[in-house]
Amino acid sequence: MKLLFDHMKTEYWDKKLKEIKDENEDLEILFFDSDEDKRKKLKEADGLIGGFLTEEEIDIAKNLKIIFVPFSGVNTLPSEKLLERDIIVANSKGNGKVVAERAVSLTMSLLGKIPHFHNDMKKGVWHGFSVGEKPHQSWESIIDKKVTILGTGSIGKSLAKYLKAFDCEITGYKNSYNGEKIENFDILTTDFEKAIEKAEIVYIALPLTNNTRDTINKDNINLFKNKYIVNVGRGPIVNEEALFIGIRDNILKGAAIDVWYDYPTKDAMYKLPSKYPIHLYENVILSPHVAGFNEKAIQYSVDWCIDNVRNYIQNGEPKNRVNMKLKY
């Protein structure tokens, strides 16, 4: 098998690629050093590690049978072309527990007013009892909160586990439900309005698909009156204009967001994350899509990806196969 590596290399990747190569003497791992070299190697590749391919590149890769995506999202791949070619896509869910950790951290920052208090204290401005403020003017605890998690996959499950330490009542919203129990969830439902109704904090941990895009939109944003939202799924799951309306019109109590709408490019490294002035509001915490990007998260994702490769070589099937019609 010829496996083309098309991802950011690290020492840990080098270590794990060597391991899988040592286990399989017939495995040849290909690297490239230019766009032209990549096109040449694509013609040879049976499999690819990476998450960004164009339709043109897939057309070049005549022998390609499987793509091992080293992260969870597959919305960056041309699904129709992959389905047409019957190319397997295997994603990596190993970093879910770290993404969930970031979601809890964002919640603490938002409800705890940590950046706000920090920035004020740098200017000598105090809050709390020492300047005569009342308790309701201070920060807010997440203990005993009613929480809804949209998405009960690896991120959602880890998030529920962490939040149980704060005695939260947890509702899980999922696409289909056959009565199964999921640990740490008090309620499971496929009814969106029911899931949102009593929540004080709503976490978004869904994949981006045709069905989940604009899950929260201008027609239903008022369901989120006086609620916090924390998005570690994908930006467009929340309609961009609806998010701004929710913040501007004081529908939302606050928002903590790690996933966005506008991202830097090689030609524009400095860029605001939305076309709306969301960044100007004090009840918004901004995070630059790093929930799954630290050393621990990368290691978990690499391990999962290598397990996908290993299973495919041994059994002809990866550990985790994506349904590209559903995109998860």
Side-chain angles (χ1 to χ4, degrees):
M1 178 182 180
K2 292 185 177 183
L3 180 64
L4 179 62
F5 186 85
D6 182 17
H7 195 59
M8 180 180 65
K9 282 193 71 181
T10 64
E11 289 184 8
Y12 195 71
W13 265 117
D14 287 338
K15 174 185 173 183
K16 301 305 287 189
L17 288 170
K18 183 178 185 304
E19 282 183 13
I20 195 72
K21 177 69 177 74
D22 289 345
E23 292 172 16
N24 301 276
E25 60 181 25
D26 292 333
L27 175 63
E28 182 180 353
I29 301 175
L30 308 175
F31 302 94
F32 60 88
D33 53 19
S34 67
D35 289 343
E36 183 179 348
D37 191 31
K38 178 181 177 180
R39 287 191 291 270
K40 178 183 176 183
K41 298 288 174 57
L42 275 170
K43 293 177 182 178
E44 307 174 42
D46 304 297
L48 178 137
I49 292 176
F52 300 90
L53 271 183
T54 65
E55 290 193 9
E56 180 188 0
E57 287 173 327
I58 292 170
D59 285 336
I60 292 171
K62 299 296 185 185
N63 298 324
L64 190 64
K65 301 174 183 66
I66 185 166
I67 299 172
F68 302 99
V69 180
F71 42 83
S72 59
V74 297
N75 54 291
T76 54
L77 293 170
S79 56
E80 293 301 322
K81 175 64 72 172
L82 294 171
L83 287 166
E84 178 187 312
R85 286 273 308 274
D86 199 25
I87 294 172
I88 298 170
V89 176
N91 66 347
S92 302
K93 297 185 176 183
N95 66 3
K97 63 180 74 175
V98 182
V99 175
E101 177 191 0
R102 183 71 171 180
V104 174
S105 300
L106 289 168
T107 311
M108 297 290 201
S109 295
L110 178 62
L111 275 69
K113 298 184 178 180
I114 293 170
H116 177 55
F117 287 178
H118 170 81
N119 289 332
D120 276 358
M121 289 206 72
K122 286 169 68 175
K123 297 179 286 190
V125 177
W126 285 67
H127 294 273
F129 67 90
S130 59
V131 290
E133 288 184 350
K134 304 299 183 184
H136 73 271
Q137 296 173 291
S138 192
W139 62 281
E140 192 172 345
S141 174
I142 69 171
I143 294 173
D144 294 328
K145 284 280 192 254
K146 290 181 172 61
V147 167
T148 287
I149 302 172
L150 305 181
T152 59
S154 60
I155 298 171
K157 288 185 178 74
S158 293
L159 192 46
K161 177 182 178 182
Y162 300 158
L163 291 171
K164 268 303 169 188
F166 297 97
D167 296 321
C168 293
E169 180 183 301
I170 303 171
T171 295
Y173 169 77
K174 53 188 311 202
N175 183 50
S176 60
Y177 178 54
N178 58 12
E180 79 275 20
K181 301 290 186 183
I182 302 179
E183 190 176 5
N184 298 310
F185 285 91
D186 300 292
I187 301 167
L188 291 167
T189 183
T190 60
D191 186 324
F192 183 75
E193 291 193 13
K194 180 182 177 181
I196 300 302
E197 184 181 13
K198 295 181 181 179
E200 296 170 275
I201 307 171
V202 178
Y203 290 92
I204 300 154
L206 293 164
L208 180 61
T209 71
N210 294 335
N211 291 330
T212 63
R213 185 180 294 273
D214 292 340
T215 293
I216 300 173
N217 53 61
K218 288 189 289 183
D219 292 331
N220 65 24
I221 190 64
N222 283 301
L223 295 175
F224 294 80
K225 181 68 176 175
N226 295 324
K227 304 179 192 297
Y228 294 102
I229 65 169
V230 180
N231 192 358
V232 292
R234 286 293 183 269
I237 294 168
V238 183
N239 177 270
E240 187 175 6
E241 185 180 1
L243 175 63
F244 176 63
I245 291 170
I247 294 165
R248 182 196 64 192
D249 295 353
N250 295 312
I251 298 168
L252 294 172
K253 202 169 184 180
I257 308 164
D258 184 61
V259 285
W260 291 99
Y261 309 95
D262 294 326
Y263 283 78
T265 63
K266 291 179 181 179
D267 298 325
M269 293 299 289
Y270 298 92
K271 180 177 284 191
L272 290 171
S274 172
K275 63 186 176 186
Y276 297 99
I278 293 168
H279 61 285
L280 298 178
Y281 291 83
E282 285 189 352
N283 62 338
V284 177
I285 300 293
L286 295 83
S287 175
H289 201 153
V290 292
F293 187 75
N294 64 19
E295 287 191 5
K296 181 63 71 175
I298 296 300
Q299 287 180 10
Y300 284 140
S301 293
V302 172
D303 289 345
W304 193 294
C305 187
I306 292 297
D307 281 346
N308 268 330
V309 175
R310 181 178 290 112
N311 277 31
Y312 181 74
I313 291 172
Q314 293 176 352
N315 309 313
E317 189 67 26
K319 176 180 177 180
N320 196 71
R321 181 171 181 159
V322 178
N323 182 332
M324 287 305 291
K325 291 181 180 178
L326 300 176
K327 298 184 182 177
Y328 64 86

Coordinates of all heavy atoms in Angstrom, one line a residue, residues 231-260:
N231 N -20.1 27.3 21.5 CA -19.9 26.5 20.3 C -18.5 26.0 20.1 O -17.6 26.8 19.9 CB -20.3 27.4 19.1 CG -20.5 26.6 17.8 OD1 -20.3 25.4 17.8 ND2 -20.9 27.3 16.7
V232 N -18.4 24.7 20.1 CA -17.1 24.0 19.8 C -17.3 23.0 18.6 O -16.5 22.2 18.4 CB -16.5 23.3 21.0 CG1 -16.0 24.3 22.0 CG2 -17.5 22.3 21.6
G233 N -18.5 23.1 17.9 CA -18.8 22.3 16.8 C -18.2 22.8 15.5 O -17.0 22.7 15.2
R234 N -19.0 23.6 14.8 CA -18.6 24.3 13.6 C -19.4 25.6 13.6 O -20.6 25.6 13.9 CB -18.8 23.5 12.3 CG -17.8 22.4 12.1 CD -16.4 22.9 11.9 NE -15.4 21.9 11.6 CZ -14.7 21.2 12.5 NH1 -14.8 21.5 13.8 NH2 -13.8 20.3 12.1
G235 N -18.8 26.7 13.1 CA -19.4 28.0 13.1 C -20.8 28.0 12.4 O -21.7 28.5 13.0
P236 N -20.9 27.5 11.2 CA -22.1 27.7 10.4 C -23.3 26.9 11.0 O -24.4 27.0 10.5 CB -21.8 27.2 9.0 CG -20.3 27.4 8.9 CD -19.8 27.1 10.3
I237 N -23.1 26.1 12.0 CA -24.2 25.4 12.7 C -25.1 26.5 13.3 O -26.3 26.3 13.4 CB -23.7 24.4 13.7 CG1 -23.0 23.3 13.1 CG2 -24.9 23.9 14.6 CD1 -22.2 22.3 14.0
V238 N -24.5 27.6 13.7 CA -25.2 28.8 14.1 C -25.2 29.8 13.0 O -24.1 30.3 12.6 CB -24.6 29.4 15.4 CG1 -25.5 30.6 15.9 CG2 -24.5 28.3 16.5
N239 N -26.3 30.2 12.4 CA -26.3 31.2 11.4 C -25.7 32.4 11.9 O -25.9 32.9 13.0 CB -27.8 31.4 11.0 CG -27.9 32.5 10.0 OD1 -28.0 33.7 10.3 ND2 -27.9 32.1 8.7
E240 N -24.7 33.0 11.1 CA -23.9 34.1 11.5 C -24.7 35.3 11.8 O -24.5 36.0 12.9 CB -22.9 34.4 10.4 CG -21.9 35.4 10.7 CD -20.8 35.7 9.7 OE1 -21.0 35.1 8.6 OE2 -19.9 36.4 9.9
E241 N -25.7 35.7 11.0 CA -26.5 36.8 11.3 C -27.4 36.6 12.5 O -27.6 37.5 13.4 CB -27.4 37.2 10.1 CG -28.2 38.4 10.3 CD -29.1 38.8 9.1 OE1 -29.1 38.0 8.1 OE2 -29.8 39.8 9.2
A242 N -27.9 35.4 12.7 CA -28.7 35.1 13.9 C -27.9 35.2 15.1 O -28.4 35.7 16.2 CB -29.3 33.7 13.7
L243 N -26.7 34.8 15.1 CA -25.8 34.9 16.3 C -25.6 36.4 16.6 O -25.8 36.8 17.8 CB -24.4 34.3 16.0 CG -23.4 34.5 17.1 CD1 -23.8 33.8 18.4 CD2 -22.0 33.9 16.6
F244 N -25.4 37.2 15.6 CA -25.2 38.6 15.9 C -26.5 39.3 16.4 O -26.5 40.0 17.4 CB -24.8 39.4 14.6 CG -24.7 40.9 14.8 CD1 -23.8 41.4 15.7 CD2 -25.5 41.7 14.1 CE1 -23.7 42.8 15.9 CE2 -25.5 43.1 14.2 CZ -24.5 43.6 15.1
I245 N -27.6 38.9 15.9 CA -28.9 39.4 16.4 C -29.1 39.0 17.8 O -29.5 39.8 18.7 CB -30.1 38.9 15.5 CG1 -30.0 39.6 14.1 CG2 -31.4 39.2 16.1 CD1 -30.9 39.0 13.1
G246 N -28.8 37.8 18.1 CA -29.0 37.3 19.5 C -28.1 38.0 20.5 O -28.6 38.3 21.6
I247 N -26.9 38.4 20.1 CA -26.1 39.2 21.0 C -26.5 40.6 21.0 O -26.6 41.2 22.1 CB -24.6 39.0 20.5 CG1 -24.1 37.6 20.7 CG2 -23.7 40.0 21.3 CD1 -22.9 37.3 19.9
R248 N -26.7 41.2 19.8 CA -27.0 42.7 19.8 C -28.3 43.0 20.5 O -28.4 44.0 21.2 CB -27.1 43.1 18.3 CG -27.4 44.5 18.0 CD -27.9 44.8 16.6 NE -29.2 44.1 16.4 CZ -29.7 43.9 15.1 NH1 -29.0 44.4 14.1 NH2 -30.9 43.3 15.0
D249 N -29.3 42.1 20.3 CA -30.6 42.4 20.9 C -30.8 41.9 22.3 O -32.0 41.8 22.7 CB -31.7 41.9 19.9 CG -31.7 42.6 18.5 OD1 -30.9 43.6 18.4 OD2 -32.4 42.1 17.6
N250 N -29.8 41.4 22.9 CA -29.8 40.9 24.2 C -30.8 39.7 24.4 O -31.4 39.5 25.4 CB -30.2 42.0 25.2 CG -29.2 43.1 25.4 OD1 -28.0 42.8 25.5 ND2 -29.6 44.3 25.3
I251 N -30.9 38.9 23.3 CA -31.6 37.7 23.4 C -30.8 36.6 24.1 O -31.2 36.0 25.1 CB -32.0 37.1 22.0 CG1 -32.9 38.1 21.2 CG2 -32.6 35.8 22.0 CD1 -33.1 37.8 19.8
L252 N -29.5 36.5 23.7 CA -28.6 35.6 24.4 C -28.0 36.3 25.6 O -27.8 37.5 25.6 CB -27.4 35.3 23.4 CG -27.7 34.4 22.2 CD1 -26.5 34.3 21.3 CD2 -28.2 33.0 22.6
K253 N -27.8 35.5 26.6 CA -27.2 36.0 27.8 C -25.7 36.2 27.6 O -25.1 37.0 28.2 CB -27.5 35.1 29.0 CG -27.4 35.7 30.4 CD -27.9 34.8 31.5 CE -27.9 35.5 32.8 NZ -28.4 34.6 33.9
G254 N -25.2 35.4 26.7 CA -23.8 35.4 26.4 C -23.4 34.3 25.5 O -24.2 33.4 25.2
A255 N -22.2 34.4 24.9 CA -21.7 33.4 23.9 C -20.2 33.2 24.1 O -19.5 34.2 24.2 CB -22.1 33.7 22.5
A256 N -19.8 31.9 24.0 CA -18.4 31.6 24.0 C -18.2 30.7 22.7 O -18.8 29.7 22.6 CB -18.0 30.8 25.2
I257 N -17.3 31.2 21.9 CA -17.2 30.6 20.5 C -15.8 30.3 20.1 O -14.9 31.1 20.2 CB -17.8 31.6 19.5 CG1 -19.2 32.1 19.9 CG2 -17.9 31.0 18.1 CD1 -19.7 33.3 19.2
D258 N -15.6 29.0 19.7 CA -14.2 28.6 19.3 C -14.2 28.4 17.8 O -13.1 28.2 17.2 CB -13.8 27.3 20.0 CG -12.4 26.8 19.6 OD1 -11.5 27.6 19.9 OD2 -12.3 25.7 19.1
V259 N -15.4 28.3 17.1 CA -15.4 28.0 15.7 C -16.2 29.1 15.0 O -17.2 29.6 15.4 CB -16.1 26.6 15.5 CG1 -15.2 25.5 15.9 CG2 -17.4 26.5 16.3
W260 N -15.7 29.4 13.7 CA -16.1 30.7 13.2 C -16.5 30.7 11.7 O -16.8 29.6 11.2 CB -14.9 31.7 13.3 CG -14.7 32.0 14.8 CD1 -13.8 31.5 15.6 CD2 -15.4 33.0 15.5 NE1 -13.9 32.0 16.9 CE2 -14.9 32.9 16.9 CE3 -16.5 33.8 15.2 CZ2 -15.5 33.7 17.9 CZ3 -17.0 34.6 16.2 CH2 -16.5 34.6 17.5

